[in-house]
């Protein structure tokens, strides 16, 4: 897995946000869609954050390092709820 995870939390997703999130998914092939957030795994967090912030309306971002839980979930294919 890449070293960084950018979590994008979306409050009220409209059609425009859906389109740019789909665009981000195409740019960042290692991603996951959860109930209330999108996870983007990346080697270059600065570039991806700039891209997100250029379209961000009503979203919150968390940038963190990939951790052992991410590795476990990737290998096992399971997600803790």
């Amino acid at each position: 897995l890449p070293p960084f995870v950018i979590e994008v939390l979306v409050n009220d997703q409209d059609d425009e946000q859906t389109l740019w999130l789909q665009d981000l998914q195409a740019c960042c092939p290692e991603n996951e869609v959860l109930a209330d957030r999108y996870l983007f795994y990346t080697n270059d967090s600065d570039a991806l954050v700039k891209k997100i912030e250029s379209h961000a309306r009503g979203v919150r971002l968390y940038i963190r390092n990939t951790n052992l839980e991410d590795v476990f979930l990737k290998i096992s294919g399971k997600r803790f709820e």
Side-chain angles (χ1 to χ4, degrees):
L1 285 173
F4 301 105
V5 180
I6 299 175
E7 296 187 28
V8 180
L9 286 80
V10 181
N11 293 333
D12 297 318
Q13 190 170 333
D14 59 23
D15 291 338
E16 186 178 332
Q17 283 182 336
T18 300
L19 289 175
W20 72 259
L21 284 165
Q22 289 172 349
D23 181 45
L24 283 177
Q25 287 177 286
C27 294
C28 186
E30 292 202 50
N31 64 75
E32 291 183 58
V33 179
L34 305 177
D36 63 340
R37 70 191 68 209
Y38 291 74
L39 303 178
F40 296 98
Y41 300 90
T42 182
N43 290 317
D44 186 359
S45 62
D46 291 337
L48 191 55
V49 166
K50 285 180 185 176
K51 186 171 181 74
I52 293 168
E53 288 178 339
S54 71
H55 292 92
R57 284 186 0 260
V59 299
R60 290 181 295 169
L61 298 178
Y62 295 103
I63 304 164
R64 62 177 176 82
N65 292 325
T66 304
N67 59 38
L68 288 176
E69 180 182 352
D70 295 310
V71 173
F72 172 78
L73 295 174
K74 183 76 170 179
I75 291 170
S76 70
K78 297 181 180 181
R79 168 105 357 233
F80 296 120
E81 299 296 332

